């Protein structure tokens, strides 16, 4: 028995599928240059590039909990936030966007493979159900899509839009 298709659709709408609410995360980063992605609104603040890697990590974290995969298997050492860019090259930017896309695909596949009964069960050592984690992953994408849209406008206002 396959998963509730609503959860898969929710993940897709928040990440890359057309939806009524406006720009999703993939749409928010589409066409960005490394310069705009790396622009930081102030010292100690995250940039779009860091948000992209952060979102990839949390897709991984939800998938890991859903599938029982062991910790420490994310593509990058560490957790939650990574300082980006390293060098700021177009190839690095493309690689981090590809990481986000890959982690979305892997989470989507894991959700699609789960029986519906799994989503009502609690995650071990957590007050949340597996379904709440999946819904939260979609909400997380939309939250960060809004941040990216705001950062793009700020970058444009500061003359970084074509960098």
């Amino acid at each position: 028995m396959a998963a509730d298709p609503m959860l898969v659709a929710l993940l897709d709408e928040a990440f890359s599928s057309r939806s009524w609410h406006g720009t999703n995360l993939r749409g928010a980063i589409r066409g960005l240059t490394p310069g705009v992605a790396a622009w930081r609104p102030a010292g100690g603040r995250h940039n779009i590039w860091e948000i992209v890697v952060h979102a990839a990590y949390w897709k991984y974290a939800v998938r890991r909990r859903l599938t029982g995969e062991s910790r420490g298997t994310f593509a990058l050492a560490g957790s939650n936030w990574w300082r980006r860019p390293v060098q700021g090259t177009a190839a690095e930017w493309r690689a981090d966007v590809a990481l986000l896309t890959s982690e979305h695909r892997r989470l989507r596949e894991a959700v699609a493979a789960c029986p519906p009964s799994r989503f009502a069960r609690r995650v071990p050592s957590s007050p949340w159900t597996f379904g709440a984690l999946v819904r939260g992953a979609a909400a997380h994408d939309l939250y960060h899509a809004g941040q990216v849209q705001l950062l793009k406008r700020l970058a444009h206002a500061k003359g970084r839009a074509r960098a």
Side-chain angles (χ1 to χ4, degrees), residues 30-70:
R30 184 174 291 114
L32 285 184
T33 64
V36 173
W39 179 78
R40 203 172 294 281
R45 299 293 178 199
H46 295 295
N47 59 33
I48 293 169
W49 201 323
E50 290 167 347
I51 291 169
V52 163
V53 177
H54 166 80
Y57 173 77
W58 283 103
K59 288 175 178 293
Y60 150 80
V62 170
R63 176 178 50 82
R64 183 183 57 75
R65 290 193 130 189
L66 189 62
T67 63
E69 184 178 334
S70 61

Side-chain angles (χ1 to χ4, degrees), residues 74-143:
F74 188 61
L76 304 172
S79 64
N80 204 16
W81 291 104
W82 287 261
R83 186 101 169 136
R84 287 293 197 257
V86 177
Q87 299 295 321
T89 67
E92 287 176 323
W93 170 239
R94 283 190 306 272
D96 283 340
V97 170
L99 175 64
L100 174 64
T101 302
S102 172
E103 287 299 338
H104 176 77
R105 178 187 48 75
R106 295 176 73 191
L107 173 59
R108 185 188 191 287
E109 289 169 357
V111 170
C114 280
S117 61
R118 177 116 170 116
F119 298 109
R121 295 192 351 231
R122 282 190 191 252
V123 176
S125 304
S126 171
W128 307 110
T129 64
F130 287 103
L133 288 184
V134 174
R135 292 188 309 271
H140 189 248
D141 276 359
L142 292 174
Y143 171 80

